[in-house]
Amino acid sequence: MLRFSKLKLTGFKSFVDPTELLIDEGLTGVVGPNGCGKSNLVEALRWVMGETSAKQMRGEDMDDVIFGGTSNRPARNIAEVVLGLDNSARAAPAHFNDAEELEVSRRIERQKGSTYRVNGKEVRARDVQLLFADAASGARSTALVSQGRISAVITAKPEQRRVLLEEAAGITGLHTRRHEAELRLRGAEQNLDRLEDILKTLDAQMESLRKQARQATRYRNLSDLIRKAEATVYHLRWVAALDGLDGSRERFRLAQARVAELTGLVAAGSARQSESAAGLPDLRKAEVEAAAVLQRLVLEREALDGEERRVAEARRAAEERQRHAEADAQREQALAADAGAAMARLLEEQAAIADARRGEEDSQVQAAAILAAAEAAVKDLERQVAELSDRVAADEAQRGALARTRAEGEERERRLADRAEEIARQKTVLEAESGVLQEVAAAEAVLEQTRQAQETAHARVPVAESARVQAGEKRTDAEADLHEAKGAATRLKAEEKTLAGLLEAGEASLWPNLIDALVVEPGFETALGAALGEDLDAPADEAAPIHWRTLPPLDDSPTLPGGLTSLADRVKAPPALARRLTQIGLVADAAEGVRLGPQLRQGQRLVSREGGLWRWDGFTVGAGAPTPAAIRLEQRNRLREVRARLAEAE
């Protein structure tokens, strides 16, 4: 059986300093006055054997077993009790029975609880309690006899005495294990019941999740199809936009050439206009002086011409009135002749009527009727004759008036003739003044030259104006092309901003990725992404945890099979990638990669522009979708192209 061999206390209640109590064979006693700590030793034994009640330890809280301090010594935060057991009889449980000496320790830290250890290995409190229960001992065992314990045993009931007998028989541990097993079985039954409920719930959830999974799969497939369709549409739009951009750039270049040509023409016209304008002030001055002299002469000539025109107009008016008067007189004479003929005809008819009256008395009634008709006709004719007489009188009066007007016109014509003779005499006098005429002739010559220069300038003005109009039309066309080019430049700026935002997101880190320092020829991005992959995400800064280190070239670097060119010829990269890139060969297609793959030396690999990879150790990747590195490289190349085209467009 187990036997106590020693007891060590550190920081437990009044034992602030490490204290060791040896328990030898036979009787070991502790003698001392009240308050020396004898009871603390018994409580230390109970505590290390698994006591969990602070009241049994004469405290309010389990932390009260830690030394609380005095006026001279500070309080401790840790208390530990170690109980040594002699296990030479191998009476301990199987998992503790491999050593002859067992040290059971319990350590408590303020506000953190306590831990149990057996020979330095952490164990559960239940394991320690079972260890001492198998040894017919324990924190609540009757083996620990205290004051009043003997009388309690004597007066104990049969059930309580049974506990005492079981401890004496050493089967307390079995009852403890049985009780624990029963608790575990009940817990297992409860767990099984809960598990059945959980399984039912999980079955329902699983069915729902199956439906959701089918829906998610369908959604993912549809989303992939939609993304592919959208990508195709956007690619077609992008290609169309590129074609339109090239056409716009060509039209813009032609428009610029036309604008430059027209600008030269306008500049030449402006120069000629400036030269003409430089000589205009002197010509204008001479023109003003000559115009002053000419104006005076012109005014005099206009006055004479006006007077002459007035005389001619008056003469023409008089002749016109004379012609009208003669026409009226002829008309009146014709009317008078007609009236005389009518009177003769009436007289003849009157004579005929008289003859008929004498010859035909039997037809008096008919004659009377004819007479009445004749009288009516006579009256009518008399009325017409009266009207004609009145008109003849009026015509005679008008003829007299016209005659007077003609006389006045002839008199005015005479006066005008006299005025013309006077003007002729004045003209003769003016011609006699030769000096004035010479000045007038010189002024007219200067004026003629000025007019010719002015006419030449005016003749140039329509040409210049036409050129200006044509230049304006061409400028309008050029501005329209410029507007289209600006729209294309705006789209390029938007694309440049988007690509810069995507690419500069990784450049803002403390160690920028190596991929941002590469310059790849267009079309080889997929090949580089397949060859290096995620290795491009590492920086070239040796301060980073993961980085590319710059090493010198290999002395005996193997050549690529088949005389292939290396990927280094297509990529501008930092020196850290020199070793890697020189050992990556470019093949034209998959057939060449399969043919040359077995000839690769250690560390070498082959790639195709479509993304196929053949490594020296047999690892092979078929051409497929671009890798994230290839996409980023394509975006960076596209950004350079967009920036170049944007600079050209601007």
Side-chain angles (χ1 to χ4, degrees):
M1 60 180 295
L2 295 173
R3 186 179 65 82
F4 296 170
S5 60
K6 59 183 176 180
L7 179 66
K8 296 180 181 179
L9 301 93
T10 304
F12 185 84
K13 288 197 173 183
S14 60
F15 296 93
V16 58
D17 295 324
T19 302
E20 182 175 354
L21 176 64
L22 297 177
I23 304 174
D24 296 328
E25 293 183 0
L27 179 63
T28 299
V30 178
V31 180
N34 294 334
C36 67
K38 300 185 297 295
S39 300
N40 292 341
L41 294 175
V42 178
E43 290 175 355
L45 288 172
R46 288 182 176 178
W47 188 69
V48 74
M49 286 190 292
E51 181 59 58
T52 57
S53 176
K55 292 183 180 180
Q56 294 293 330
M57 306 302 295
R58 296 183 300 170
E60 297 295 333
D61 187 82
M62 191 59 74
D63 289 344
D64 292 341
V65 302
I66 304 174
F67 177 70
T70 63
S71 59
N72 297 325
R73 307 191 71 171
R76 294 292 183 89
N77 290 326
I78 297 174
E80 184 178 18
V81 176
V82 179
L83 179 61
L85 301 176
D86 183 5
N87 189 31
S88 58
R90 295 295 193 272
H95 52 285
F96 298 139
N97 208 18
D98 55 351
E100 293 184 357
E101 293 289 336
L102 298 179
E103 283 191 352
V104 179
S105 66
R106 183 176 182 181
R107 182 185 180 92
I108 185 172
E109 188 174 354
R110 198 178 298 276
Q111 302 297 329
K112 291 186 179 181
S114 58
T115 57
Y116 293 86
R117 294 181 183 274
V118 176
N119 288 345
K121 183 179 180 181
E122 187 172 346
V123 296
R124 300 178 304 163
R126 174 63 64 181
D127 296 334
V128 174
Q129 293 172 358
L130 289 176
L131 172 64
F132 289 104
D134 291 340
S137 180
R140 303 288 180 90
S141 175
T142 56
L144 294 176
V145 180
S146 60
Q147 185 177 4
R149 186 66 174 172
I150 299 300
S151 59
V153 171
I154 293 173
T155 60
K157 296 180 180 180
E159 292 81 3
Q160 297 173 345
R161 291 181 182 177
R162 179 183 177 183
V163 174
L164 179 62
L165 295 175
E166 288 177 351
E167 287 183 356
I171 60 175
T172 305
L174 297 176
H175 284 287
T176 303
R177 287 185 176 87
R178 176 183 177 182
H179 178 66
E180 184 177 359
E182 290 176 350
L183 291 177
R184 289 179 179 177
L185 287 174
R186 285 195 293 270
E189 291 176 355
Q190 293 176 359
N191 291 335
L192 288 174
D193 294 337
R194 292 182 59 193
L195 183 60
E196 290 179 358
D197 296 337
I198 292 172
L199 288 175
K200 292 178 181 178
T201 304
L202 291 177
D203 290 337
Q205 292 179 356
M206 186 171 64
E207 186 64 27
S208 175
L209 290 174
R210 283 198 187 99
K211 294 180 180 179
Q212 294 179 7
R214 289 194 295 270
Q215 293 176 357
T217 303
R218 183 180 179 187
Y219 172 77
R220 186 168 54 253
N221 295 333
L222 292 176
S223 298
D224 293 339
L225 294 175
I226 291 172
R227 281 196 299 271
K228 291 179 181 178
E230 288 179 348
T232 303
V233 172
Y234 289 148
H235 179 71
L236 293 176
R237 290 181 180 176
W238 176 65
V239 172
L242 288 179
D243 296 339
L245 181 61
D246 295 336
S248 299
R249 184 182 293 111
E250 182 64 22
R251 290 195 299 273
F252 180 68
R253 186 183 61 77
L254 295 176
Q256 282 184 331
R258 290 200 299 272
V259 168
E261 180 181 359
L262 294 175
T263 302
L265 293 176
V266 171
S270 299
R272 290 195 297 272
Q273 184 180 6
S274 299
E275 293 175 359
S276 300
L280 282 178
D282 297 335
L283 296 176
R284 286 175 179 172
K285 182 178 180 181
E287 180 185 6
V288 169
E289 294 175 355
V293 176
L294 180 62
Q295 184 67 21
R296 179 171 56 81
L297 298 176
V298 168
L299 290 176
E300 293 179 356
R301 188 181 66 182
E302 287 179 353
L304 295 175
D305 292 340
E307 186 66 24
E308 185 178 0
R309 284 194 299 273
R310 284 193 297 274
V311 171
E313 289 176 358
R315 183 174 181 178
R316 284 194 298 272
E319 291 175 353
E320 185 68 23
R321 286 194 296 272
Q322 183 179 359
R323 285 194 299 271
H324 285 307
E326 290 176 354
D328 292 339
Q330 292 175 1
R331 189 170 55 255
E332 293 300 331
Q333 289 175 0
L335 291 174
D338 292 338
M343 288 296 294
R345 191 171 55 256
L346 289 174
L347 291 174
E348 290 176 358
E349 290 177 358
Q350 187 177 6
I353 291 170
D355 293 342
R357 183 181 295 175
R358 288 191 302 270
E360 297 178 358
E361 294 179 354
D362 295 336
S363 59
Q364 187 176 1
V365 177
Q366 182 178 0
I370 294 171
L371 180 59
E375 287 177 353
V378 169
K379 289 180 179 179
D380 188 13
L381 291 173
E382 288 178 351
R383 181 179 58 77
Q384 292 180 0
V385 169
E387 291 177 357
L388 290 173
S389 299
D390 294 336
R391 290 180 64 183
V392 168
D395 291 339
E396 289 293 337
Q398 186 176 4
R399 181 185 294 177
L402 290 174
R404 289 192 298 272
T405 303
R406 182 178 182 182
E408 291 175 358
E410 290 175 353
E411 180 63 24
R412 188 172 182 181
E413 183 178 2
R414 185 180 59 77
R415 289 197 303 270
L416 290 175
D418 296 340
R419 179 63 176 169
E421 292 177 359
E422 181 64 25
I423 290 172
R425 287 194 299 269
Q426 291 179 0
K427 185 175 182 181
T428 302
V429 174
L430 291 173
E431 289 176 355
E433 298 176 357
S434 59
V436 176
L437 291 176
Q438 291 177 358
E439 293 179 359
V440 170
E444 288 180 351
V446 174
L447 179 61
E448 184 64 23
Q449 293 177 358
T450 303
R451 285 179 178 174
Q452 291 178 358
Q454 186 175 6
E455 289 175 357
T456 303
H458 285 309
R460 291 178 179 176
V461 167
V463 177
E465 183 66 22
S466 176
R468 187 187 66 79
V469 172
Q470 293 178 359
E473 294 176 354
K474 294 179 180 179
R475 179 183 177 86
T476 303
D477 297 338
E479 286 179 350
D481 295 339
L482 179 61
H483 181 70
E484 295 179 0
K486 284 184 178 179
T490 302
R491 292 190 294 272
L492 289 174
K493 285 182 180 179
E495 185 176 1
E496 188 268 342
K497 184 177 180 181
T498 302
L499 291 174
L502 291 174
L503 296 175
E504 291 174 0
E507 297 176 358
S509 60
L510 180 59
W511 297 296
N513 298 337
L514 187 64
I515 190 174
D516 296 325
L518 301 180
V519 179
V520 189
E521 290 187 12
F524 293 91
E525 300 88 349
T526 305
L528 182 60
L532 296 180
E534 297 180 355
D535 294 345
L536 293 175
D537 294 336
D541 190 348
E542 296 187 5
I546 301 175
H547 61 272
W548 284 86
R549 184 181 176 188
T550 303
L551 298 176
L554 295 173
D555 296 334
D556 54 348
S557 177
T559 59
L560 293 171
L564 296 176
T565 60
S566 67
L567 192 59
D569 298 337
R570 305 293 182 179
V571 180
K572 293 182 180 179
L577 285 179
R579 286 193 176 189
R580 186 75 168 270
L581 293 177
T582 54
Q583 295 303 311
I584 300 174
L586 286 172
V587 296
D589 50 21
E592 187 177 5
V594 173
R595 181 174 60 84
L596 298 177
Q599 304 178 22
L600 293 175
R601 304 289 295 276
Q602 183 175 0
Q604 293 181 340
R605 62 189 67 193
L606 303 176
V607 292
S608 64
R609 296 183 64 171
E610 293 77 16
L613 174 65
W614 296 268
R615 209 164 63 188
W616 64 276
D617 55 0
F619 181 76
T620 304
V621 177
T627 61
I631 293 174
R632 186 172 181 86
L633 292 171
E634 290 178 356
Q635 290 176 348
R636 183 164 292 280
N637 283 344
R638 176 59 182 167
L639 179 60
R640 294 192 186 96
E641 180 183 358
V642 167
R643 284 177 174 171
R645 295 173 64 183
L646 181 60
E648 181 180 357
E650 289 177 349

